[in-house]
Amino acid sequence: DPTQEGKGQTKEWKPDVDMPVVYFQGVSKSYGRIHAVSNITLGLSGGVTGILGMNGAGKSTLFKLLMGKLKPSAGEIRLFGTDPWKNPAPYARVGFVPEHEKMYDWMTAHGFVSTFARLNGLTRDEAGIEADRVLDFVGLTDVAYKKIGQFSKGMRQRVKIAHALVNDPELIILDEPLQGCDPLARTTIMN
C-alpha cells in the first residue's frame, strides 16, 4: 500500500516512476445520494485487463472518470503518473472507445478517423495515411469512403476502434465494444 509508512502512520501520496499506468486512489463519484463508484483503489500496468460487473455497477463511470469526462467526488486519479485534471497531456497517449458516442452519419469512415488524427496534430496527408492504416486493421478498407450512417452496428463499432487507434496509443480503453453486435461482428472485433 503506497500510503502506509511505519506503524499506522500515513503519508501524502506522490507519483513516482514505478507508478501504474492507470491509478485510482480512494476514488468515488456520487450524484446526490446515488453512489456510482465508491472508494475505488486500483492500479493497472501493461497487459490486458477486463473489468466485469453487472449493469449499473459503475464500469462506464470508472472509464469516464479516467478519461476526464467526469470529475471524481473524492480521491485521486493518475494516468501515466499525472493528474489528468491538472494536465491533459496523458490523453494524447490514450485511445478510447466509449460505450455511446455520437458519430456523424454524414461523414465517411475515412473522414471520421482522419479528422480525429488531424485533431491529434497530424497533417492532412499524415492523417490520411494513418486513417488508411487503422481502417485496414479493423477490416473496413473496402467501405472506407462509405457514409457511417449506412453502416451496421458492428461496422460502426469498428470505426470507433479505428478512431481510437489512429494516434497509435500506449493505452486503449474499450467500453462495451461488442454491445449490439452480431456473432460475426463480435468475432471480427475480438480478432
Side-chain angles (χ1 to χ4, degrees):
D1 182 352
T3 63
Q4 297 300 312
E5 180 179 79
K7 297 179 181 177
Q9 295 177 337
T10 60
K11 66 176 185 170
E12 182 180 329
W13 173 81
K14 296 186 190 290
D16 62 36
V17 293
D18 296 326
M19 173 166 284
V21 170
V22 172
Y23 191 75
F24 288 78
Q25 181 183 2
V27 174
S28 296
K29 178 61 182 174
S30 299
Y31 303 96
R33 287 189 252 164
I34 298 171
H35 301 289
V37 294
S38 184
N39 198 26
I40 301 291
T41 296
L42 170 71
L44 301 171
S45 287
V48 176
T49 301
I51 297 179
L52 305 173
M54 296 172 49
N55 289 344
K59 301 176 302 293
S60 292
T61 299
L62 201 66
F63 295 139
K64 289 176 186 173
L65 286 163
L66 181 61
M67 294 306 300
K69 296 183 181 295
L70 294 175
K71 189 165 186 166
S73 304
E76 297 182 47
I77 298 171
R78 296 292 181 267
L79 184 57
F80 296 104
T82 301
D83 180 345
W85 280 94
K86 294 180 180 171
N87 178 0
Y91 293 125
R93 300 166 67 184
V94 178
F96 180 49
V97 177
E99 180 180 9
H100 302 289
E101 179 178 317
K102 172 66 177 150
M103 296 180 74
Y104 301 102
D105 289 346
W106 54 269
M107 291 183 86
T108 66
H110 192 274
F112 184 79
V113 174
S114 64
T115 297
F116 185 74
R118 300 266 329 264
L119 291 172
N120 276 295
L122 290 143
T123 66
R124 184 178 305 275
D125 290 340
E126 291 168 337
I129 291 166
E130 289 303 301
D132 289 339
R133 177 183 66 84
V134 294
L135 287 167
D136 181 56
F137 180 74
V138 299
L140 293 177
T141 300
D142 58 333
V143 293
Y145 292 94
K146 186 176 178 180
K147 290 183 180 179
I148 293 171
Q150 299 170 343
F151 284 6
S152 68
K153 176 69 175 174
M155 292 168 74
R156 293 171 74 89
Q157 289 295 91
R158 287 190 279 161
V159 172
K160 286 169 48 177
I161 292 169
H163 156 271
L165 296 175
V166 76
N167 64 334
D168 199 20
E170 296 172 53
L171 172 66
I172 302 167
I173 300 170
L174 307 167
D175 188 3
E176 305 264 359
L178 306 177
Q179 183 181 35
C181 294
D182 61 49
L184 181 58
R186 285 176 180 262
T187 301
T188 302
I189 290 168
M190 285 188 287
N191 288 340

